[in-house]
Amino acid sequence: MNQKRILLVVGAHAADFVWRAAGIIAVVTKHGGRASVVALTYGERGESGELWKDPNQTVENVKRLRHEEATRAAEILGATFQCFDLGDYPLQIDAQVLERLTKLIRELAPDVIITHTERDPFNPDHPLASAAIQRASILASGSGVASGFSTIKPAELFLFEPHQPEHCGFVPTTFVDISAVFPLKQLAMEAMASQSYLHQYQTDIAKYRANHARRISGRTDIQYAEAFQRVTPQVVDIL
Ligand SMILES: [Zn+2]
């Protein structure tokens, strides 16, 4: 497989990519690939807890700080970051947003798209983002036959690990060894100061998933891993 992959990571909120996919982003860019991160919102209301401890805090200031944090985290990983700034809790997706996402996917023509699980009973925005990306991806690529609009090669779709995997129906089918790039993931997490309570937690998750990856593969050198759920069936020349 060509190691120079084009990766698109789409999260409902500015920091979702850091906790759930920073490792694979760094692996892709380390191998000469391109990684783009899109956040549909800054997570300014629902996922910026530390910043709201300041009694004089404002939504605009939280957005500004979150933009700085996420841009810095993406830079550390060698990725680009953009935010649609649609407003969080609740996120709203209309036809214009869907069109914008479809256009973005057509222009990027990613090999791989990673987003949220389709279900998340503890987060009102994540499933909406997942559904929108999946729709946009199909609109960008067509449904496998000639279409009356321009299409790109279908991207492979993966879901990243949610905070409460069992409740979201998350089944890890793919593990990525992120040991070599884990220092970069740590730096990216540190850049998201507004959610500092997640740093140690996500480090523990990476070790826990590495344990699974070692047992499955026999690769004893894996120290840190990220887990993903593959949605697109694989087409291969040999098993
Ligand atoms: Zn989120």
Side-chain angles (χ1 to χ4, degrees):
M1 184 198 291
N2 176 10
Q3 296 272 313
K4 291 191 177 180
R5 309 288 276 166
I6 300 175
L7 172 66
L8 170 63
V9 179
V10 184
H13 311 110
D16 285 318
F17 76 98
V18 177
W19 320 122
R20 315 178 198 293
I24 181 57
I25 291 170
V27 167
V28 164
T29 58
K30 184 174 170 233
H31 284 93
R34 280 194 290 129
S36 305
V37 174
V38 172
L40 299 184
T41 80
Y42 285 110
E44 63 272 17
R45 281 154 48 88
E47 297 187 6
S48 303
E50 300 287 312
L51 298 174
W52 287 106
K53 288 179 181 167
D54 177 352
N56 298 317
Q57 193 56 270
T58 64
V59 166
E60 283 314 309
N61 192 48
V62 169
K63 284 187 191 177
R64 185 182 60 77
L65 292 170
R66 294 280 283 179
H67 186 84
E68 282 173 12
E69 287 182 354
T71 302
R72 172 85 191 111
E75 276 171 10
I76 289 166
L77 304 170
T80 61
F81 172 82
Q82 64 170 296
C83 181
F84 280 19
D85 192 14
L86 301 174
D88 73 329
Y89 281 74
L91 167 67
Q92 312 270 12
I93 306 278
D94 60 17
Q96 270 185 325
V97 174
L98 195 61
E99 185 58 38
R100 192 172 164 193
L101 281 170
T102 305
K103 186 166 176 279
L104 181 100
I105 293 171
R106 270 203 199 104
E107 284 169 2
L108 281 175
D111 298 300
V112 172
I113 297 176
I114 310 179
T115 190
H116 296 277
T117 49
E118 292 161 19
R119 193 149 54 89
D120 189 338
F122 303 101
N123 192 299
D125 296 346
H126 292 171
L128 241 81
S130 182
I133 301 314
Q134 294 199 43
R135 261 186 99 183
S137 179
I138 299 298
L139 287 170
S141 64
S143 43
V145 292
S147 309
F149 48 91
S150 69
T151 57
I152 57 163
K153 186 165 83 68
E156 292 182 79
L157 179 69
F158 290 84
L159 310 178
F160 48 47
E161 179 157 5
H163 207 65
Q164 308 205 49
E166 296 86 349
H167 299 287
C168 300
F170 178 79
V171 178
T173 59
T174 305
F175 293 81
V176 178
D177 175 11
I178 61 165
S179 310
V181 298
F182 195 70
L184 292 175
K185 177 159 184 168
Q186 280 183 306
L187 284 174
M189 290 197 289
E190 282 163 22
M192 302 310 300
S194 55
Q195 285 173 289
S196 57
Y197 52 92
L198 286 174
H199 300 178
Q200 186 57 49
Y201 180 76
Q202 292 294 341
T203 300
D204 293 343
I205 295 284
K207 288 182 188 169
Y208 169 78
R209 289 309 190 187
N211 179 291
H212 297 165
R214 285 195 298 272
R215 284 166 176 254
I216 292 163
S217 66
R219 288 173 48 179
T220 55
D221 57 325
I222 300 177
Q223 292 176 291
Y224 298 97
E226 278 174 349
F228 300 93
Q229 181 168 338
R230 171 182 273 281
V231 176
T232 313
Q234 274 182 304
V235 178
V236 297
D237 294 321
I238 192 167
L239 290 180

